[in-house]
């Protein structure tokens, strides 16, 4: 009996890992947490550092929220989540200050801003609050790995184009003139625009071939608070205010 | 006199040169999400100016008289996010009760601002730069003005893009991101101001 239970637990944990990295990759598929994605991906190393930092917070907060899910009343769950997340962010920030001061300096203000990263609150609400601790932990790790993977890719691309390097190692010959703009703010927008366009392209191709793949996300870059898609599964805030806002926009369109 | 000069430098620096959205990437979510129409974008901008200015004042006071006084600055993130969330709720209730006309105009945008990372970003920036309370408020106001300028311009461009022939895979977010990138290049030009 316990064997089966263990097996089931193992299976669901593994499934959560794969889900976070591939099926529901937070950056490429769900389009969540865009602020750090654009801000810190000036190099592959910074992207990886930010991804792993977020993963640590995400895994720990998922675990604790899942452990406390029967204690937290649902009416005050959002403030409770925010306090738990903010505490872990502070812990991680102090650790980075102590052991990796250079990374801490490079990421700067974006470390405390992990608190308002939509991925973390989104996973807390969508998964951890209604599932047991171990799968929640692995859900956090999977999502975190997916986020790290995406950030490292974008960082490597920008570093390659903007400085001719990857992970600080010179890849292109010195005679190549790097396209500096990719290392700066505008480059981040361009790289992301091309990635989203590529995703849209694949989606359109799949649709034309007659097999629309629903797992490739809606391509919205809006965070859940500002999402105007009422039927969106990612939405986790259910305030009537938001609906009013959407109605307002629709009225204006008319 | 010197202080006035410093404040002016902060005012221009935070609103144009290091624009909160286009060079710091804070508040990107409403920037992309609520910029379909100039009118809604303007409303959001005014609400953000209101909340960020107020939040940087409150965060500045709390930083000086609570965090520094009791030497618990390491709790800054937790304290600031809770204060901001509570402040937004409080402002919403206050406006609903006292100034219904303003609530009509700003009300729908207020709950969206709690998770706007620009608000927390300004509070933490002010603390890290060790700004005084007044300087902090000026910095917050300037940052929010920068946000409003950027979102209104983007909304204006998006209204025009509606009529353009965009390649199918670039429809929606990609073209908006490209526009934002071009705007960011334009705003880099402001760095000659200081």
């Amino acid at each position: 009996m316990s064997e089966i239970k263990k097996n089931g637990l193992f299976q669901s944990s593994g499934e959560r890992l794969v889900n976070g990295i591939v099926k529901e990759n937070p950056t490429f598929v769900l389009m969540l947490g865009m602020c750090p994605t654009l801000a810190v991906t000036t190099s592959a190393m910074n992207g990886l550092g930010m991804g792993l930092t977020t993963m640590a917070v995400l895994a720990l907060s998922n675990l604790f929220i899942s452990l406390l899910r029967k204690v937290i009343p649902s009416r005050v769950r959002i403030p409770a989540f925010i306090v738990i997340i903010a505490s872990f962010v502070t812990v991680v920030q102090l650790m980075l200050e102590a052991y990796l001061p250079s990374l801490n300096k490079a990421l700067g203000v974006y470390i405390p801003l992990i608190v308002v990263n939509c991925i973390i609150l989104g996973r807390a609400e969508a998964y951890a609050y209604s599932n047991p601790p171990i799968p929640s932990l692995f859900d956090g790790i999977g999502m975190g790995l997916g986020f790290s993977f995406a950030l490292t890719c974008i960082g490597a691309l920008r570093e390659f184009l903007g400085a001719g390097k990857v992970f600080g190692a010179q890849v292109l010959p010195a005679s190549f003139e790097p396209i500096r703009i990719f290392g700066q703010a505008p480059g981040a927008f361009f790289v992301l625009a091309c990635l989203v366009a590529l995703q849209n392209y694949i989606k359109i191709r799949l649709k034309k071939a007659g097999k629309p793949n629903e797992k490739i996300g809606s391509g919205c870059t809006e965070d859940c608070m500002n999402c105007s898609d009422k039927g969106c599964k990612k939405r986790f805030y259910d305030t009537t205010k938001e609906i009013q806002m959407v109605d307002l926009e629709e009225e204006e369109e008319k | 006199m010197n202080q006035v000069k410093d404040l002016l430098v902060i005012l221009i620096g935070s609103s144009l040169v290091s624009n909160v959205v286009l060079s710091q990437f804070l508040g990107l979510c409403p920037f992309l999400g609520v910029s379909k129409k100039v009118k809604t974008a303007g409303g959001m901008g005014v609400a953000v100016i209101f909340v960020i200015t107020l939040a940087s004042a409150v965060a500045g006071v709390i930083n000086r008289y609570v965090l520094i006084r009791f030497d618990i600055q390491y709790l800054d993130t937790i304290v600031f996010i809770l204060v901001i969330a509570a402040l937004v709720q409080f402002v919403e209730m206050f406006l609903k009760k006292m100034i219904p006309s303003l609530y009509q105009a700003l009300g729908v945008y207020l709950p969206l601002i709690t998770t706007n990372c620009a608000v927390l970003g300004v509070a933490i920036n002010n603390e890290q730069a060790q700004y005084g309370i007044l300087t902090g408020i000026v910095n917050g106001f300037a940052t929010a003005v920068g946000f409003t300028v950027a979102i209104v311009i983007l909304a204006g461009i998006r209204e025009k893009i509606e009529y353009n022939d965009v390649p199918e895979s670039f429809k929606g977010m990609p073209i908006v991101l490209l526009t934002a990138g071009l705007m960011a290049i334009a705003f880099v030009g402001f760095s000659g101001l200081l």
Side-chain angles (χ1 to χ4, degrees):
Chain A
M1 185 67 199
S2 67
E3 195 79 342
I4 298 165
K5 211 176 166 188
K6 243 183 204 168
N7 199 16
L9 194 69
F10 179 75
Q11 227 170 22
S12 70
S13 302
E15 188 201 318
R16 293 324 297 168
L17 271 180
V18 176
N19 179 59
I21 302 170
V22 185
K23 277 193 207 156
E24 287 187 14
N25 186 297
T27 307
F28 291 140
V29 181
L30 297 184
M31 289 279 170
L32 292 175
M34 282 296 122
C35 298
T37 308
L38 292 180
V40 299
T41 50
T42 47
S43 72
M45 204 58 220
N46 283 354
L48 184 65
M50 185 69 196
L52 293 180
T53 313
T54 309
M55 185 182 87
V57 175
L58 187 53
L60 287 170
S61 66
N62 256 9
L63 178 66
F64 265 76
I65 286 166
S66 179
L67 284 171
L68 294 173
R69 71 187 188 280
K70 287 182 182 133
V71 186
I72 302 171
S74 72
R75 281 177 64 192
V76 292
R77 64 187 191 285
I78 301 288
F81 294 165
I82 290 178
V83 174
I84 293 173
I85 295 166
S87 317
F88 281 117
V89 169
T90 307
V91 170
V92 169
Q93 190 185 2
L94 292 174
M95 299 271 278
L96 280 184
E97 257 176 51
Y99 296 108
L100 290 167
S102 62
L103 184 67
N104 182 51
K105 212 174 168 193
L107 299 181
V109 72
Y110 297 100
I111 293 179
L113 287 177
I114 294 175
V115 180
V116 282
N117 190 328
C118 187
I119 298 171
I120 299 180
L121 205 54
R123 288 328 286 177
E125 172 77 11
Y127 196 84
Y129 193 59
S130 50
N131 282 289
I134 301 292
S136 298
L137 175 69
F138 280 95
D139 181 73
I141 295 175
M143 280 282 159
L145 282 178
F147 187 62
S148 312
F149 172 71
L151 255 61
T152 314
C153 284
I154 299 175
L157 193 64
R158 284 181 66 190
E159 201 183 352
F160 178 73
L161 290 169
K165 294 174 185 173
V166 172
F167 278 107
Q170 193 77 35
V171 179
L172 291 172
S175 60
F176 171 78
E177 184 68 41
I179 315 162
R180 295 226 181 277
I181 196 115
F182 278 101
Q184 293 161 356
F189 286 112
F190 293 144
V191 169
L192 189 69
C194 293
L195 286 174
V196 181
L198 185 71
Q199 193 191 316
N200 282 351
Y201 178 74
I202 296 172
K203 215 164 71 175
I204 293 164
R205 284 288 294 271
L206 282 175
K207 219 175 198 172
K208 272 183 186 158
K211 39 181 174 181
N213 188 348
E214 285 308 313
K215 268 163 200 154
I216 294 181
S218 59
C220 80
T221 48
E222 304 163 18
D223 72 336
C224 309
M225 281 297 266
N226 296 316
C227 186
S228 54
D229 183 0
K230 280 183 209 167
C232 179
K233 283 179 206 147
K234 284 177 273 164
R235 282 170 68 103
F236 60 91
Y237 271 85
D238 188 28
T239 55
T240 45
K241 295 268 160 31
E242 245 183 310
I243 315 263
Q244 273 176 18
M245 167 113 177
V246 175
D247 290 343
L248 191 92
E249 276 185 358
E250 275 167 7
E251 267 167 35
E252 270 174 28
E253 271 162 29
K254 281 168 202 165
Chain B
M1 193 60 217
N2 223 354
Q3 207 197 355
V4 174
K5 202 178 113 196
D6 283 348
L7 288 182
L8 210 62
V9 168
I10 288 176
L11 200 64
I12 294 172
S14 296
S15 59
L16 297 176
V17 180
S18 57
N19 187 281
V20 63
V21 191
L22 296 170
S23 81
Q24 295 185 58
F25 301 107
L26 299 179
L28 205 62
C29 318
F31 178 69
L32 298 172
V34 201
S35 59
K36 282 192 191 109
K37 291 264 178 297
V38 173
K39 208 176 146 199
T40 32
M44 186 70 185
V46 174
V48 166
I49 292 180
F50 187 68
V51 170
I52 289 191
T53 312
L54 205 59
S56 44
V58 175
V61 169
I62 285 184
N63 187 34
R64 174 173 292 180
Y65 295 107
V66 181
L67 295 183
I68 295 179
R69 175 112 183 259
F70 297 107
D71 205 20
I72 46 169
Q73 279 135 298
Y74 60 90
L75 286 178
D76 53 356
T77 315
I78 306 177
V79 172
F80 287 163
I81 186 77
L82 285 180
V83 165
I84 289 166
L87 181 78
V88 174
Q89 287 286 319
F90 184 72
V91 166
E92 199 190 340
M93 286 192 293
F94 178 81
L95 288 184
K96 204 172 183 177
K97 190 95 181 146
M98 297 298 178
I99 322 171
S101 57
L102 193 61
Y103 179 77
Q104 287 283 318
L106 300 185
V108 290
Y109 304 101
L110 286 173
L112 304 180
I113 294 176
T114 322
T115 53
N116 185 338
C117 40
V119 187
L120 184 61
V122 170
I124 291 170
N125 268 340
N126 282 345
E127 190 209 4
Q128 283 180 354
Q130 295 185 332
Y131 287 151
I133 294 173
L134 179 67
T135 325
I137 295 173
V138 170
N139 186 36
F141 175 73
T143 308
V145 168
F147 175 84
T148 309
V149 168
I151 195 172
V152 170
I153 293 177
L154 181 72
I157 300 175
R158 275 182 82 168
E159 282 188 357
K160 295 279 180 288
I161 288 180
E162 295 266 307
Y163 304 109
N164 290 358
D165 188 18
V166 180
E168 202 176 349
S169 16
F170 273 88
K171 270 183 187 149
M173 267 309 135
I175 190 74
V176 177
L177 287 168
L178 281 183
T179 314
L182 292 174
M183 279 170 66
I185 294 182
F187 270 73
V188 168
F190 282 119
S191 54
L193 270 178
L194 292 182

